[in-house]
Amino acid sequence: MIAVLKNGTNDTQIKKLTDWIESLGLQVHLSKGEYQTIVGLVGDTSRVDEDLLISLDIVETVKRISEPFKSANRKFHPDDTVVKVGNTSVGGDAFAVMAGPCSVESCEQVVEIAKAVKAAGATLLRGGAFKPRTSPYDFQGLKAEGIEFLLEAKQQTGLPIVTEIMDASHLPMFEEVDLIQVGARNMQNFELLKELGKTNKPILLKRGLSATIKEWLMSAEYIMAGGNENIILCERGIRSYDSQYTRNVLDLAAVPVLHELTHLPVIVDPSHATGASRLVKPMALAAAACGANGLMIEVHNDPKKALCDGPQSLTPEQFSDVMSSVKKILG
Ligand code: PEP
Ligand code: MN
């Protein structure tokens, strides 16, 4: 349920209203826009006397929100959310580009790639330290050491870093990580999401392998219900019946749909969506053209020798070419 307040309502009046709502056992989500203040009521709103609420002097209208995702809902928060990540931002007018290797393989490798992607215009460095591999016999990542190498690359380039968490017990290792990624395989790991909700770290929430848009937003809601509203959504393709030519099906329509449904920023990962380096550029351009707030792209200094996801990784030169074309689309 939302209550749209009348223009000119002051902070004391808002406080009185929110105290009353909280006394009913509900959570309050306040959105102060340039022209309107919206009070979102989260929880069992059957306890609220709607007629009483609407009769208050400061209340203009009251609406019930039928969607199960409340905090993530644009009706609660009409303005775009801009998530601050280190020295950069994701959402609103900013276009974020997260680039780097699928997995961190050595300090030299990640520093070299970080310098190259920064020179080409990337705004964040990505790199997996904990890798969710389909086979337990495949390279599982350098773990804590991988995070140290990312921090060294951050130190040398100034790029904020994004890396994936797989277990809430690893959180202490992520203290200096700027953006914590929840991978597709963990999108519905609700215990992990709840723990991340207790932190104030920005979270990159990738779409699950076969998650619907609503399920994805409900996962964001799990994090937000704990009080952490710093969430960026990442479309990375979904499972379908034809994986012969593309690894996944890139659902670009999800981008404008999400912009309607939620205030959270949405970025696109054309690398995992397609699984093929030659398809990354056209899909990156399409993502920029359809209104994504940014991209996540895998870049490797020697893709043929990559320990993970080599076939979909761009060389630094190819990445630089993608960046110049993306800039043209963005204008
Ligand atoms: C990754 O970003 O390297 C990754 C494993 O992505 P996803 O969870 O989308 O498969
Ligand atoms: Mn990968």
Side-chain angles (χ1 to χ4, degrees):
M1 183 186 271
I2 58 167
V4 180
L5 303 189
K6 287 186 182 152
N7 264 344
T9 304
N10 64 40
D11 286 349
T12 320
Q13 292 168 306
I14 296 175
K15 171 91 173 64
K16 230 170 133 188
L17 176 63
T18 57
D19 283 352
W20 173 64
I21 296 168
E22 279 167 356
S23 75
L24 299 172
L26 297 166
Q27 273 176 274
V28 173
H29 186 291
L30 201 60
S31 165
K32 281 189 177 178
E34 210 176 320
Y35 306 105
Q36 252 181 352
T37 297
I38 293 175
V39 182
L41 288 71
V42 189
D44 179 7
T45 52
S46 63
R47 293 180 207 166
V48 182
D49 181 342
E50 204 173 323
D51 293 331
L52 177 63
L53 189 59
I54 201 151
S55 70
L56 299 176
D57 280 353
I58 58 169
V59 173
E60 189 161 294
T61 49
V62 173
K63 275 187 232 152
R64 288 219 171 252
I65 305 289
S66 51
E67 295 89 355
F69 48 90
K70 309 290 180 193
S71 301
N73 204 307
R74 194 178 272 285
K75 288 176 192 148
F76 264 45
H77 188 297
D79 298 333
D80 289 342
T81 283
V82 177
V83 179
K84 189 118 192 43
V85 183
N87 58 13
T88 188
S89 297
V90 186
D93 295 333
F95 191 83
V97 182
M98 311 178 186
C102 178
S103 49
V104 177
E105 297 170 9
S106 71
C107 194
E108 297 69 41
Q109 173 237 21
V110 76
V111 169
E112 183 184 327
I113 298 173
K115 288 180 179 163
V117 296
K118 184 182 180 183
T123 53
L124 287 107
L125 172 67
R126 66 145 285 148
F130 291 89
K131 293 304 306 173
R133 304 303 299 276
T134 304
S135 165
Y137 308 117
D138 286 340
F139 176 58
Q140 304 285 308
L142 295 180
K143 307 188 172 77
E145 197 181 29
I147 296 183
E148 276 172 36
F149 296 161
L150 282 166
L151 289 170
E152 175 61 30
K154 172 182 171 175
Q155 171 111 45
Q156 292 199 32
T157 58
L159 288 178
I161 57 169
V162 48
T163 193
E164 178 167 353
I165 193 164
M166 285 168 54
D167 191 314
S169 70
H170 296 162
L171 261 171
M173 282 185 252
F174 284 69
E175 224 146 82
E176 289 175 74
V177 170
D178 299 284
L179 175 60
I180 300 182
Q181 174 172 325
V182 175
R185 289 153 193 83
N186 271 315
M187 188 205 84
Q188 285 190 316
N189 181 341
F190 300 120
E191 292 307 315
L192 174 62
L193 301 179
K194 282 189 224 168
E195 287 305 314
L196 295 172
K198 293 179 195 160
T199 74
N200 56 7
K201 282 272 180 199
I203 309 295
L204 180 74
L205 181 63
K206 292 189 114 183
R207 184 175 186 175
L209 300 180
S210 28
T212 64
I213 289 176
K214 198 196 266 181
E215 285 165 342
W216 188 9
L217 287 172
M218 290 312 290
S219 290
E221 196 72 20
Y222 259 95
I223 303 171
M224 297 178 98
N228 185 355
E229 312 230 313
N230 303 308
I231 301 168
I232 300 157
L233 301 166
C234 178
E235 162 62 41
R236 45 79 72 205
I238 43 175
R239 207 34 94 72
S240 187
Y241 51 86
D242 186 355
S243 56
Q244 192 177 356
Y245 300 106
T246 56
R247 185 173 174 181
N248 290 295
V249 174
L250 178 55
D251 180 10
L252 280 182
V255 175
V257 168
L258 284 166
H259 284 326
E260 287 168 12
L261 296 175
T262 180
H263 50 90
L264 299 173
V266 187
I267 70 160
V268 170
D269 169 353
S271 307
H272 291 88
T274 63
S277 59
R278 71 179 200 293
L279 302 177
V280 169
K281 181 176 175 181
M283 292 301 97
L285 299 185
C290 77
N293 297 108
L295 293 165
M296 170 173 263
I297 296 182
E298 285 187 339
V299 179
H300 196 282
N301 48 345
D302 191 356
K304 284 196 191 68
K305 296 209 181 108
L307 295 181
C308 183
D309 285 348
Q312 68 194 31
S313 299
L314 302 186
T315 61
E317 295 70 34
Q318 289 168 328
F319 175 68
S320 185
D321 169 55
V322 171
M323 286 300 289
S324 356
S325 300
V326 165
K327 281 175 197 154
K328 284 184 204 140
I329 298 250
L330 295 172

